[in-house]
Amino acid sequence: MTSAEAMTVRQKFLALLTLVIALVLEIVDLTIVNTALPAIKASIGADASASQWIVAGYSLAFALLLMAGGRMGDSFGYRRLFLIGVAGFTVSSVLCGLAQSGEQLVTARLLQGATGALMAPQSMALLQVLFDPLERVSKLALFGVIGGLASIAGPIIGGLLIKADLFGLGWRLVFLINVPVGILAMAMARAYLPATRSDRHSGYDSPGMVLFGAAVAALLWPLIGAEGEQADPAAFLVLLACPPLAWLGWRHVAARTRAGMPALFDPAIFAIPTYRLGLAMSVAFGAASAGFLLVFAFALQAQRGQTPLVTGLLHMPFGFGAMFGIGVLSRKLLPALGKWLPLGGALLMAASATLVLVATARPDWPLWTIAPAMVAAGIGMGMTTGCIGPITFAQMDRAHAGAASGLMKTCQQLGSALGVALAGSAYFAWGQWLGVPPAEMAAAVIALILLACAAFALRLPDGIFDSAH
């Protein structure tokens, strides 16, 4: 396949299916590890620090290299970087499955996150290349539905694989199951993905990658390690380094762009209101979603005594609501309602998520009565997240597809880390300090973040899909 313009409808469908397989690979691997962590600790004796970094190391490496992965796709070809990323992800999954110590597994997870960062931005970039802005609404809705199913299935599949203990492999199957999926994705990518790249300047921007990578690390490292119980002066100093590093990175890419040299991204893309506000919504919504799911899962187990498998199953109403919000409401109503749809979704999720967390923490509240509120929270989630992608890229020039996609993925990761840090601190520490029940304190923080997301949506222009590229 050589040209997106020359592809038939059937060929585009097969290309889309290839990207969906990679999406499942990415999301399932992110969520399945949480279920396997106790078994991993028991098997290879990973200490508390290693256990934390088995989960967090993937996210950190992923976030650090997303912008670089997106820009490299622009420069060297989206299919080529996709293939390299999937191949690396598959190999690192084998290394995870063969690890004999906590240190080996953490190293393999870092490699898995790094190669995932090469793979993930190419999916969004290829969606922009393959489909027009309004077509992307339905395609991104499909991504949302599949992503929702994958996030629900991850913990359940993990529990089932560990319980089945096929060939005596136990938790190792959680990683080794990626191998056949990765091989299938590579075969389909070679057959069906177009060999295309940006028509802008080729090459890459190593200093820009280093500066922005350091800024992301300075922000994420303290947030990922935040326990919410006591302040770490060293972490605070690292956090203070983030703004100056980001400022230096911005000046660097601006200077290279003015000089006509390859840059990590073109600062001019931030002049597009839909893109700028879409990124802000991504951060806020990512923070609210990650914080809500963290507190809900912890409260179910710590305050209700539920098992991990039951906890995973109790997420299903939320997931089904999210799929309805993405696959039906966002896909059908976004072109007509525009910014009012994500605004309404954020407000609906704020109200229903608050009800869920308050009810979950009260033992006298039957769990089955929480299900309707979980469905409503999921619908609100779907109405919002199903709109953010199409809105963010509605007026983006396809020549910036890779860099713009990498920036959006980075914002989503930043939001998730921020949400875990804020909601976790509210639940474990702030509520106690202020004399507020932990779940209610966390619910208030999450609701405020969702109100910020609604405020960003309100500032979106009318006619979002006008002058689209």
Side-chain angles (χ1 to χ4, degrees):
M1 204 66 58
T2 58
S3 170
E5 291 78 9
M7 293 174 68
T8 65
V9 172
R10 178 181 176 275
Q11 289 169 336
K12 287 188 177 184
F13 170 78
L14 291 170
L16 179 65
L17 183 60
T18 304
L19 302 180
V20 165
I21 292 171
L23 175 73
V24 171
L25 191 66
E26 172 195 339
I27 293 179
V28 168
D29 198 76
L30 189 61
T31 59
I32 201 172
V33 175
N34 294 330
T35 306
L37 198 56
I40 293 171
K41 290 177 65 176
S43 173
I44 61 177
D47 59 19
S49 176
S51 299
Q52 179 184 4
W53 282 101
I54 287 168
V55 177
Y58 176 92
S59 297
L60 181 62
F62 188 75
L64 282 177
L65 293 173
L66 275 170
M67 283 190 285
R71 181 63 186 121
M72 289 169 72
D74 284 336
S75 299
F76 304 117
Y78 306 123
R79 186 179 70 174
R80 178 182 297 177
L81 263 292
F82 182 89
L83 284 165
I84 292 172
V86 175
F89 195 92
T90 304
V91 171
S92 58
S93 295
V94 173
L95 296 177
C96 287
L98 298 177
Q100 300 298 312
S101 67
E103 291 76 13
Q104 290 180 12
L105 185 51
V106 169
T107 301
R109 286 285 284 170
L110 288 168
L111 178 61
Q112 204 175 32
T115 52
L118 297 181
M119 172 182 69
Q122 317 315 325
S123 296
M124 191 67 70
L126 284 163
L127 274 180
Q128 294 177 70
V129 170
L130 289 167
F131 303 104
D132 293 329
L134 284 173
E135 289 181 308
R136 291 175 210 150
V137 175
S138 61
K139 304 306 180 287
L140 286 168
L142 175 64
F143 261 47
V145 172
I146 298 297
L149 281 171
S151 63
I152 295 170
I156 298 172
I157 292 172
L160 292 174
L161 286 173
I162 293 168
K163 186 175 182 179
D165 194 21
L166 296 176
F167 310 110
L169 291 171
W171 62 266
R172 299 179 187 279
L173 281 172
V174 165
F175 298 106
L176 296 177
I177 196 174
N178 293 336
V179 176
V181 180
I183 292 172
L184 175 63
M186 285 188 285
M188 293 185 67
R190 289 187 63 86
Y192 303 123
L193 293 184
T196 184
R197 68 181 73 187
S198 171
D199 57 6
R200 304 271 172 164
H201 305 290
S202 61
Y204 54 93
D205 175 12
S206 296
M209 294 177 188
V210 171
L211 286 170
F212 276 100
V216 171
L219 178 61
L220 281 186
W221 190 292
L223 292 179
I224 287 174
E227 298 292 335
E229 296 179 358
Q230 65 181 51
D232 182 352
F236 180 71
L237 291 175
V238 171
L239 198 59
L240 287 178
C242 176
L245 285 169
W247 178 77
L248 288 172
W250 181 273
R251 285 180 57 94
H252 169 81
V253 298
R256 285 180 70 94
T257 302
R258 287 194 300 269
M261 300 171 64
L264 189 59
F265 60 86
D266 186 345
I269 62 178
F270 286 91
I272 304 171
T274 49
Y275 185 71
R276 183 175 64 247
L277 290 167
L279 293 187
M281 291 170 65
S282 294
V283 173
F285 188 77
S289 298
F292 169 67
L293 293 174
L294 168 73
V295 175
F296 178 63
F298 192 90
L300 278 174
Q301 296 179 71
Q303 298 181 252
R304 288 296 190 103
Q306 300 299 322
T307 66
L309 183 57
V310 171
T311 299
L313 293 173
L314 288 172
H315 283 71
M316 292 179 70
F318 179 81
F320 292 137
M323 285 186 285
F324 177 76
I326 296 170
V328 178
L329 298 181
S330 294
R331 180 171 61 86
K332 293 186 175 181
L333 300 181
L334 176 59
L337 297 181
K339 65 183 180 182
W340 302 108
L341 189 63
L343 189 153
L347 295 178
L348 175 60
M349 186 175 174
S352 50
T354 299
L355 177 59
V356 166
L357 294 181
V358 171
T360 300
R362 298 185 177 182
D364 58 336
W365 201 307
L367 282 177
W368 66 267
T369 62
I370 299 174
M374 281 291 284
V375 173
I379 291 173
M381 185 260 198
M383 289 168 60
T384 310
T385 193
C387 297
I388 289 176
I391 287 172
T392 304
F393 296 106
Q395 299 182 13
M396 178 61 60
D397 190 322
R398 288 172 173 170
H400 298 293
S405 300
L407 280 166
M408 183 181 180
K409 283 279 189 179
T410 302
C411 286
Q412 291 171 340
Q413 288 293 311
L414 292 176
S416 295
L418 183 63
V420 168
L422 291 177
S425 296
Y427 185 85
F428 294 112
W430 299 348
Q432 183 179 356
W433 297 340
L434 298 174
V436 178
E440 294 181 15
M441 186 74 239
V445 169
I446 291 164
L448 285 174
I449 297 172
L450 284 166
L451 289 176
C453 184
F456 292 134
L458 186 61
R459 293 189 59 194
L460 286 167
D462 294 324
I464 287 170
F465 296 99
D466 294 345
S467 303
H469 293 79

